[in-house]
Amino acid sequence: MEYRILGQVEVRHEGRPVPLHGAKPRTVLSALLLAGDQVVYDSQLGDHLWGRKAPATMNAQIYTYVSRLRKLLGPHARITRRSPGYVMETGSAWFDLAEFTDRSRRGHEALAAGDHRGAVRLLTSALSLWRGPALANACAPLAEAVRPHLEEARITALTGRFEAGLALGAHAALVPELTRTVREYPLQERFRAQLMTALYRCHRQADALALYEQGRKMLKGSLGVDPGTLLREVMLAILHSDPALLGPVRERAPAGAGRMAPPGLAVR
């Protein structure tokens, strides 16, 4: 069995979709999957399904949804009643979130070890598991509670992949995707700093500085704050034509040549 929540909630068996009709059964399944081997209380399921407006028949309805799931999943999963809730055992089933977490962890370990090619491979593989916003067809209370945490994990993996790609000298190839990512996450300063670095390496200094100014105005207008340390360091490094911004090319220069990279630039 395969369980997927990084996009629409789906179940597959031997490559074929298992019909999982209705947002509420999908929500109960997702909550049980996210809990791992921990009990999900009836009250928690009620919050995930209805928010603060759970009906008087909440427990009976939850029982009905669990019964549907038991019939649907058959012998491939075991949902056990452990008062006051339920726990799900999936055996050796494949779960996209668990797979994403594992690939992402190994990718960041490779990045920390200086294995940039391995980091790109693992983090690209991890990100490929995302098919859209997580829990897209589950009930809103669960999706809204869980999605920010999952999205943050995706952003971290994406940042690491860009960092590894820049370290490999792939700045020109990364500019289009970084541009799209900055549009999607305009307040994420790390993406903006990475795009500024990539633009500078492509001999587009003016575009890099314009990107900084755009971010500065956005942060000031939306949050009333100035750019953080990383963005300021990249901007100053561009103004001073800091050799550290050249990345892998500069790394092959003789030791001691040029100024040291600001702390924020050491991570490419």
Side-chain angles (χ1 to χ4, degrees):
M1 295 290 279
E2 296 181 3
Y3 300 98
R4 304 167 186 262
I5 67 168
L6 300 179
Q8 293 197 341
V9 179
E10 295 179 355
V11 179
R12 289 180 172 268
H13 179 54
E14 297 180 345
R16 297 181 178 180
V18 175
L20 187 59
H21 302 300
K24 288 183 168 57
R26 289 192 291 262
T27 300
V28 172
L29 174 63
S30 300
L32 292 170
L33 287 168
L34 287 164
D37 58 357
Q38 301 297 310
V39 174
V40 183
Y41 295 159
D42 295 340
S43 58
Q44 293 173 308
L45 289 171
D47 289 342
H48 296 328
L49 290 164
W50 296 284
R52 297 183 179 181
K53 298 180 180 180
T57 58
M58 178 187 78
N59 288 349
Q61 290 194 49
I62 291 173
Y63 178 82
T64 298
Y65 302 138
V66 169
S67 297
R68 287 186 199 172
L69 290 173
R70 284 172 174 155
K71 291 178 181 177
L72 190 68
L73 303 177
H76 304 291
R78 182 180 179 185
I79 304 177
T80 306
R81 174 67 178 174
R82 290 188 189 171
S83 187
Y86 297 88
V87 64
M88 182 175 180
E89 300 172 54
T90 59
S92 59
W94 186 89
F95 182 26
D96 64 354
L97 177 58
E99 188 68 21
F100 167 79
T101 301
D102 178 66
R103 295 181 195 180
S104 183
R105 174 188 57 78
R106 290 189 287 128
H108 285 293
E109 288 174 353
L111 182 61
D115 178 10
H116 298 121
R117 293 190 186 281
V120 168
R121 175 178 55 81
L122 285 163
L123 292 171
T124 299
S125 176
L127 290 162
S128 71
L129 297 173
W130 285 75
R131 297 165 290 111
L135 301 161
N137 56 351
C139 291
L142 175 65
E144 291 169 1
V146 175
R147 191 176 290 152
H149 170 73
L150 299 180
E151 185 64 15
E152 187 60 35
R154 191 180 81 88
I155 288 172
T156 299
L158 193 55
T159 300
R161 181 165 68 79
F162 288 144
E163 181 178 329
L166 288 171
L168 290 169
H171 39 274
L174 286 173
V175 166
E177 187 179 2
L178 273 166
T179 300
R180 291 192 300 271
T181 304
V182 168
R183 288 198 190 109
E184 185 179 359
Y185 302 101
L187 299 180
Q188 286 282 341
E189 295 188 40
R190 189 59 174 272
F191 291 140
R192 191 173 294 271
Q194 289 175 322
L195 178 54
M196 288 170 62
T197 301
L199 289 169
Y200 179 80
R201 292 183 187 178
C202 292
H203 310 291
R204 296 172 59 183
Q205 176 177 331
D207 288 338
L209 292 174
L211 186 68
Y212 172 84
E213 182 62 16
Q214 177 193 63
R216 186 191 67 79
K217 290 180 178 178
M218 188 174 299
L219 288 167
K220 197 70 174 178
S222 300
L223 303 175
V225 299
D226 293 318
T229 302
L230 176 60
L231 270 183
R232 293 198 304 272
E233 286 179 343
V234 174
M235 181 268 291
L236 291 172
I238 290 171
L239 288 175
H240 291 100
S241 300
D242 193 328
L245 276 180
L246 297 178
V249 175
R250 186 60 192 171
E251 288 174 355
R252 294 194 293 269
R259 295 193 297 123
M260 290 181 63
L265 304 183
V267 180
R268 291 172 294 280

